[in-house]
Each structure stands twice: as C-alpha cells, then as structure tokens.
Amino acid sequence: MLIDRRSFLAGTAALAAAYRTSPVHAQGPRILRIGMTATDIPQMTGSPDNGFEGYRFTGYTLFDALINWDLSSAEKASGLVPGLAESWEVNPADKTKWVFRLRRGVKFHDGSDFNADAVVWNYDKLYKRDAPQYDPRQVSLIGFRAPSVHAYRKIDEYTVEISTRVPDSFLPYQVCSILFASPRHWETLGRDWAKFHANPSGTGPFKLASFTPRQRAELVPNPDYWDPRRRPKVERVVLLPLPEPNARTAALLSGQVDWIEQPSPDALPRLRQGGMVITQNGYPHIWSYTLSFIEGSPWRDVRIRKAANLAVDRDGLVELLGGMAVPAKGHVMSASPWFGRPNFEIKYDKAAALRLMQEAGFGPNRPISTKILISASGSGQMLPLQMNEYIQQNLAEIGIRLEFIVVEWQALLDRWRAGARSDMVQGATAVNVSYATQDPFSGFTRFMRGNLHAPTGVNWGFYSDPEMEQLLDAAQNAFTLPELDAGIARVHEKMVNDALFLWVVHDVGPRAMTRRVKGFVQAQNWFQDIAPVTME
Amino acid sequence: MLTFLIRRILYVVPIAIGVTFFVFSLVHLAPGDPLSAVVAGDAPREVVDMLRAAYGFDQPMIVQYLRWVARALSGDLGRSLATGRPVAAEMFAAIGNSVLLAFLAAAIGFTLGAILGGIAGYAQSSWLDKLASLIAILGVSVPHYWLGMVLVILFSVNMNALPAIGIGPAGSAFWLWTRTDWSHAILPAVTLSVIPMGIVTRTVRATVAETLAMEFVQALKAKGLPGHAVLLHVVRNVAPVCLAVMGLQFGYLLGGSILVETVFSWPGTGFLLNDAIFRRDIPMLQGVILVLAMFFVLLNLLVDIVQTLVDPRIRRG
C-alpha cells in the first residue's frame, strides 16, 4: 500500500500532537525545568561541587550563608546583603574579630533551629579536624574560598564571633561561601554526608523533593522561608544535568526543558528563531592570560605586556563569540566599583602596540617567540581554541609569536597549581585560565601576594611588588564599604597600569529560556536567584 | 565437551588478570594529579594530602593495584572521586540502562542486518543486493553521533514527536514499560543500531553467498530437496560465523556508546565513562572499564560455547 504525501504529513502531525499532550511534554503550568551544564546534580551538603553552577542551583536554593549576595538587580554590580546574619561588624578595638548577629526564628527544613551552635557546628565541619562532622571532601571544595577564617566562637544563642589572623576587611565576601546544613538532620541520618547529599536540610527558599543521581533533582518551595520576598513563585523546579550543549539546545527546542544554561554561540540564531528568549549580562568573569614574571619570560618587560594588550582586537573576538562577551578593559568590568581610573587604557591600537614593541627592541621583523599553556575546553573557558588562535594571529602582527601547548582542562589546572617554575609547564610563560573576580581574595589577593607564590597559592607567575603589597594591605584594612571599594580600585588601577595580565573578554553568562519563564533578573553575578521566577 | 568447557573457562583467568593490570595501568598512565578534578586549584596542600591518603593515592602503585584487585574481588570497586558515591552502585544502575539500549539496538540492527544480508546473499549482483550493500556501507560509514543529532533535529525539534534527551520523564533510575519511556528509547536505539546493522548485513551476505556456492548445496538441490529445506541447511552453516560477529557487536553495544549516550543524555555506561574521563575520576574509570572488559570476556566465552553447540567441528578442533 502506498501512502501519499498528504496522508504522511497528516499522520506525522497527529503523532506529534499525541506526543505533545503526553506526560513527556505536558508539564504542570508552574514547573520550571532547567538544563544545567553539570554532569551530575551538584553536592547538596552545603558545600556544592561543579563550581559556581553548583552554588547557583543546589547551593543558594537549598541553603543560606550568614551573608548572601544581592541578586535582585541586573543594572548594578551585586553587593552583599544580610542572610542568616542580620548584621555584622568588626570590633573597633581589635579588627581581627568580627561579630555576627544571627537572625532569630529561622528553622532548617527538618524543623530544627538555626542558631549559634549550628554556625559553630558548620564551621567545625570545615576547620576542626577532630570534629565528627569534619569532611575533607567539603574542605577541598569550599575551604579555600574562606582562607581568612582563623577562629570562631559562640558568644550567645544568636551571636557568633569570627576571627582572622590579621585585620581583613575581605572576610564578609568569604563567609558568603559557607552555607549552613542542619546538624540535627545529619545526626538523624547516621552522621553520613552521602545520605545528607541525597536528603539535605538547609534553611534556603527551596527544599529537595526528590533526587535521582546524575538524572534529576526536584526542588519545592519552602513556605516558611524567612525572607518573604524570596519565597518561590513556582510549584517545583526540576534540575537536569545536560553537559552536552547540543543536547541542551534540542531539549529546549523540543519542549523538554524551559531554561538552559550556556547555549553554544552557534545555536543562538536557531534558538531565537524558535521563539526562545536569550538573556545575558556581564558578571565578574575574566578570560585572560596569566603571565610569568620569572627570569627569561618576555612578559617581565612592561612595554611588551602593554603592546600585547593593545594588539588584541576584542571587538572581532566578541563577533566570533556571537556577541556573547564583553571586551575587557581590565581585570574587572569598567562598571565595577573596583575598576578605578587606570591611566593605561586597554583597547585595540595596533600602531601603539608596534611602537611599544619597537621601544622594547622587537617587532614583526625581530619577533619574540614564547609558549602559552591553553586547554581545548573547560569551565568558563568559552571557545578556547578558536579564541587563542585569534589572539595568536593578532599578536603575530606585532611580533609576538605564540606557540601553544594544548592540554586537557584538568591537566591545565594541575599546571596552574604547579606554577611557572615547574617542569610541568614545559617552559610556558603564560597560562590561559579563566576565573571569577567576584570577591577580593579570589579576584586579586591570590594572584598578587608574594606569599601566595605557587604551589602555596595560585600566584602562578611569581609576581611580587612591594607597592602592590601595600595597596593590598590598605584595602584589607578598609572597613567601610566605600573605603574598601576604593582600596580595591587602587589595586586594580596598578594592575592595569602595569598591564599585569593579558586581559581579553568577560563572559556574559548566556541563558536561553522559553517565553513562559517570567520574572527572571540576570544579576551581574555568577549566582542567580530563581525564587522570583514565575511560569506563565 | 566438558573438558572443552573447563579448558575454555580456565582461559578466562589469565585474561582477567591481564585485563585488571591493563585497566589499572592505563588509567594511571594518564598525566596529572587524580585529585585535580575534585580539588580547587588553590585548595590547602594539607587537605589535598589528606584526600590523597584517604583514597590511597599516596601508596606505591603495586600496593594500590593489589588493594584494588582484592577489593574488586569482593565486589567493592571503591568510591567515586567526583561524587563520593560507591562506584559499583553507580555503575550497575548505568549498566542496566546501557543493556536496555543494547538489547533494543541489537534487536533492530541484527534483525535488519540478517534480513538485508540474507536477501543480498541470495540475490547476488541484483539490484536488491546493491541496495542492501549500500545500506550496509552507509550503516558502518555514517558517524552515529551525527546521525543522532540529525534524528533529534528531525523528530524532536522539528516534529516534536519524540523526546530529545533522557531515559524517561520520571527521571527514575530504571526504565519503565510505558509509552513515554519507550518514546525516549527509540531515537538512541535506532542511532546505535546502524553500525551493527551494517556489519551484520555484510557478514551475512558474504557468508550466505559463500555457503550457497558450496558443493553440498548443489548436492542437496540435486537430491530434490525443496528450497526451504535447503535454506535450513544454509542457515545452519552460516550461523556460527554470524553468531560470532553478532556476539562481538553485542559486546560493543553493551559497553555503551559514549557518543550516542552523550548526544541523548542517556544515563548509561558511556555517559558515565565520558563524565569520569572529563573529571578524571580514576576509581570510576577503573571500575567501569574493568566491568565492561569482563563483560566482553564473558560474552566471548558464551559465544564460543554456543558456537561449539551449533558446530561440533569447533569442539573437535
């Protein structure tokens, strides 16, 4: 029997209609399904893995920190807001001691009270090796995010004190990373963190409803959440790990999810054509080359560093990325309160770059050759091969010949940790690792301090400058927000004036979602708040 | 027969020891620190050392190997570096999903392959033979991840008829016998079936053609045996070779396909392996590769035994 074209199309349409109304596609009207880039549901112990995506979806949804990020605005850089601490202040007499006054009446999802004992118990989990709840895995995941914490103690039921070794105004940014898990629930589960991960209890705006490893986590609203403005509007959030970008795109276009993280630039026209909304905003991310300052590195000459920064056509790169990037003017975006007013303007100026190279004794006819460590992929690396090849062409035009040592992402991180003097880097004088500049320690201190040379820290290039040390000291001793911002801005100005990195672009965190998703505000932050989101 | 079986089973022992050695060595030969995937770049050195000791990576390689083998013999494949969950539990959940996909793909691929190959072998040099051979060549030549993406674009994105990702809408660890779960399996199973379909078609075609040219077939025809009875004799002679090829192909299918499972986010062993490779999750990699390799070894044993039952000449040899 032959089937004519009309019958075939009618049959196909009927089949499609049948499936559209099947349970695969007919999700409830207020269920938000999110396709993450992670390969698994991030840890739900209060110490998320999978980088900041873990914090975004199973960190700040299920848990709170003493201080939270303000994720309510897309227009301004995110600041800090009270979380489980209603207020905090440094002791004026001894600036190594901070007092945190805790929010009263907050309960964990299992009904137990959040109080000073819970704070101390959670800090013991990370800092007290003989505590039963101490977990090296959680320490490895988040302990490094709060290196200033030296000691802590309960003052009364709702007051705790956290101490630093030296006065350190960066501490509030670091305590944002420590999220609070329920001690009673952990005891109930037989003191087992693996069981806690499958059945967590925090204080966050969402609770975990169900969990299938590697496949799905379902979150439901916590109706008793302490901040009424952040009580979730959707009935349920379904988190799906979809690491393959094409699979995420297909899942969104076929109606299996409502929201995907990081669509690939190539897929954006198709997503727009399919009626999807693409959201983006600058956030504290930087794609750069970290430079080596050890003997023999060409980057020791500030003229060469400046020339390289002037030779990169960032607008062209942004075009290559489908518009999903912001040209870098420095380590942080120019709208950041930490940008300051550097004298050296980072832009594309090939003629100026050639002049600087000539002053340094080099140029297209007498080029410098140097090796750069890059990866073929990796978290936050965007399109590393294409971008590096683009930069390679730009720099070749002014007489800097780059030879790439391409390694796998984790191998690149090993070499990043090892430092420029290590044999592992095979003579490379720069490493292309992108990272967050969200807090002053991870954005500035760890790359600039002389006592954090690799492998102790990630001052990969062995940078050291007494003036920079003084600027960092001054920033760490600025205990009001305007002074702190100004202090970090001075650090940033020096970084840019000395062209300490080759800065290229900032990511804009693209997301694609259906038009049913409403109320999402993409904050200038690695984290986002999904509590206010509604589904039409 | 019993001696043959015992001898054949004993052969498995040195193969298994060799497999454990190679699996362990290959994974450890990869450059870099196994902890780098789970520890941040600037995690405190003492914490890294503590984790290294906790996972036994501070021990000499031979000690690590012997401990790993001893634990594996008792069914303990360690804990995943990336998730902290037991490797055995993660892997057996994934194997179930890959086995399901393998059965579906084998059913499609072997059935089509046997039919197409049989027709092509019987009707050599005819247009049917050329068509079947073309399909077989396409089957083995088309990259299946590409085919998977094309099928997704056609049936999921454009027609919205079949799901693009996942094992089922419930997100359950097990596949359920429901229409929606079936719909999730169709595209990955079809994608995965094209290579075995092509290989089986070509094998069956060549073997049928070769068998048909043998003298005993002429003798059977000369004796006046009807066509279907001759066919039965041909099938019996063709079966051992085809079984061996199907067994090998089924082994490949059981191993899961990294590419197909990744394209469809199908939570099988290929998906698990892909994740373990990128996160350099050594206990997971070792566990998955070991179990899949042993699967393969046992499957070969099974195929040998079945071949022997079908063709007594092998037993005598």
Side-chain angles (χ1 to χ4, degrees), chain A residues 145-367:
Chain A
R145 297 193 192 280
S148 302
V149 174
H150 174 56
Y152 42 88
R153 68 184 179 98
K154 170 183 172 181
I155 293 177
D156 62 36
E157 190 66 6
Y158 289 102
T159 315
V160 290
E161 181 186 81
I162 299 177
S163 310
T164 55
R165 279 192 181 82
V166 294
D168 190 349
S169 60
F170 297 172
L171 182 78
Y173 290 92
Q174 297 178 14
V175 301
C176 289
S177 302
I178 300 176
L179 310 179
F180 291 92
S182 164
R184 190 180 79 180
H185 193 59
W186 182 77
E187 292 285 349
T188 309
L189 295 174
R191 299 184 162 198
D192 186 336
W193 281 115
K195 286 182 183 164
F196 195 98
H197 165 56
N199 180 11
S201 174
T203 61
F206 288 93
K207 300 178 184 182
L208 183 76
S210 70
F211 163 62
T212 307
R214 293 185 187 275
Q215 292 185 52
R216 160 183 292 228
E218 293 198 12
L219 315 183
V220 291
N222 172 10
D224 304 319
Y225 188 57
W226 55 267
D227 184 352
R229 290 167 305 172
R230 288 193 63 222
R231 286 191 189 136
K233 308 288 187 298
V234 291
E235 282 172 16
R236 195 170 283 259
V237 172
V238 181
L239 302 173
L240 300 156
L242 296 173
E244 217 284 309
N246 290 322
R248 285 200 297 282
T249 302
L252 182 65
L253 286 169
S254 62
Q256 278 186 270
V257 295
D258 307 297
W259 163 324
I260 58 169
E261 295 283 287
Q262 293 285 340
S264 80
D266 295 345
L268 294 176
R270 179 67 185 88
L271 287 166
R272 287 195 182 101
Q273 190 193 341
M276 302 302 157
V277 176
I278 312 292
T279 70
Q280 57 166 300
N281 202 350
Y283 69 104
H285 162 278
I286 181 67
W287 195 102
S288 65
Y289 285 2
T290 305
L291 307 175
S292 166
F293 293 87
I294 66 172
E295 311 74 39
S297 167
W299 309 111
R300 285 163 68 97
D301 187 330
V302 67
R303 293 168 297 188
I304 294 174
R305 299 199 297 271
K306 285 188 172 179
N309 270 292
L310 293 171
V312 176
D313 177 8
R314 293 171 183 81
D315 291 333
L317 254 179
V318 170
E319 200 178 321
L320 174 79
L321 295 166
M324 292 292 135
V326 175
K329 294 271 181 190
H331 205 59
V332 294
M333 287 191 297
S334 45
S336 165
W338 298 341
F339 188 80
R341 289 180 184 169
N343 300 323
F344 175 57
E345 187 187 357
I346 292 174
K347 58 184 178 182
Y348 179 46
D349 187 343
K350 191 176 157 190
L354 283 166
R355 276 197 303 277
L356 281 163
M357 287 296 286
Q358 197 177 12
E359 281 175 31
F362 300 100
N365 298 325
R366 190 165 176 264

Side-chain angles (χ1 to χ4, degrees), chain A residues 473-509:
Chain A
D473 287 344
Q476 281 186 264
N477 280 283
F479 287 94
T480 65
L481 187 60
E483 285 173 357
L484 174 62
D485 285 348
I488 300 171
R490 297 293 88 74
V491 171
H492 185 257
E493 284 166 4
K494 178 167 172 59
M495 287 171 74
V496 176
N497 290 341
D498 292 350
L500 295 182
F501 290 69
L502 170 53
W503 293 289
V504 183
V505 290
H506 304 285
D507 189 18
V508 291

Side-chain angles (χ1 to χ4, degrees), chain A residues 355-420:
Chain A
R355 276 197 303 277
L356 281 163
M357 287 296 286
Q358 197 177 12
E359 281 175 31
F362 300 100
N365 298 325
R366 190 165 176 264
I368 298 167
S369 291
T370 193
K371 293 179 185 172
I372 313 290
L373 273 164
I374 67 169
S375 66
S377 62
S379 172
Q381 295 287 84
M382 304 172 86
L383 298 177
L385 290 179
Q386 295 91 325
M387 292 169 74
N388 275 299
E389 283 173 7
Y390 193 97
I391 293 166
Q392 188 182 41
Q393 286 178 23
N394 281 171
L395 296 195
E397 289 171 15
I398 63 159
I400 301 176
R401 285 186 186 161
L402 302 184
E403 182 191 328
F404 294 132
I405 304 171
V406 187
V407 295
E408 175 255 331
W409 172 235
Q410 294 300 338
L412 187 74
L413 291 179
D414 287 345
R415 283 149 183 77
W416 190 46
R417 189 186 287 148

Side-chain angles (χ1 to χ4, degrees), chain B residues 16-308:
Chain B
I17 293 172
V19 163
T20 61
F21 183 74
F22 273 103
V23 166
F24 186 86
S25 314
L26 282 176
V27 169
H28 276 279
L29 277 175
D33 187 338
L35 289 174
S36 65
V38 288
V39 176
D42 39 4
R45 182 61 45 187
E46 65 270 20
V47 172
V48 177
D49 292 342
M50 197 186 298
L51 277 173
R52 184 168 284 115
Y55 282 99
F57 293 134
D58 59 338
Q59 299 292 317
M61 211 52 89
I62 185 71
V63 176
Q64 289 187 46
Y65 171 70
L66 292 174
R67 279 185 181 173
W68 176 65
V69 171
R71 279 206 317 265
L73 284 173
S74 65
D76 176 10
L77 295 170
R79 279 183 179 267
S80 159
L81 265 180
T83 67
R85 292 191 288 268
V87 169
E90 289 238 41
M91 198 184 50
F92 286 114
I95 281 180
N97 296 332
S98 282
V99 166
L100 169 79
L101 206 54
F103 270 106
L104 291 174
I108 299 167
F110 295 173
T111 309
L112 282 177
I115 293 170
L116 289 172
I119 292 171
Y122 252 94
Q124 273 184 79
S125 306
S126 69
W127 67 270
L128 274 173
D129 176 20
K130 283 172 186 155
L131 182 68
S133 298
L134 178 72
I135 294 171
I137 289 166
L138 279 177
V140 292
S141 312
V142 170
H144 50 12
Y145 61 89
W146 176 84
L147 179 67
M149 285 192 236
V150 169
L151 292 178
V152 163
I153 291 167
L154 271 177
F155 291 96
S156 303
V157 175
N158 290 349
M159 292 165 64
N160 207 2
L162 291 167
I165 53 142
I167 192 167
S172 55
F174 303 103
W175 190 77
L176 304 169
W177 198 268
T178 63
R179 193 184 74 166
T180 45
D181 280 22
W182 268 107
S183 69
H184 279 261
I186 292 172
L187 291 184
V190 168
T191 307
L192 202 55
S193 72
V194 293
I195 290 182
M197 184 269 292
I199 290 172
V200 170
T201 302
R202 293 175 68 174
T203 308
V204 172
R205 180 194 175 277
T207 321
V208 166
E210 187 188 334
T211 310
L212 283 173
M214 285 180 174
E215 286 177 353
F216 82 91
V217 176
Q218 301 301 323
L220 290 173
K221 283 180 182 169
K223 273 172 70 181
L225 220 59
H228 68 271
V230 174
L231 184 67
L232 272 179
H233 284 275
V234 172
V235 167
R236 187 143 189 198
N237 279 273
V238 165
V241 178
C242 296
L243 267 177
V245 172
M246 286 179 183
L248 282 172
Q249 287 304 308
F250 192 58
Y252 288 128
L253 290 174
L254 280 179
S257 162
I258 288 184
L259 296 171
V260 171
E261 290 184 2
T262 302
V263 165
F264 291 100
S265 297
W266 185 270
T269 48
F271 198 57
L272 196 64
L273 212 52
N274 186 32
D275 181 34
I277 290 166
F278 277 103
R279 296 167 89 171
R280 203 182 292 164
D281 189 346
I282 286 190
M284 183 64 78
L285 271 176
Q286 286 173 334
V288 175
I289 298 173
L290 176 70
V291 171
L292 293 182
M294 292 314 297
F295 244 68
F296 218 85
V297 170
L298 294 177
L299 200 72
N300 272 326
L301 174 67
L302 193 70
V303 169
D304 280 359
I305 293 169
V306 173
Q307 267 186 319
T308 314

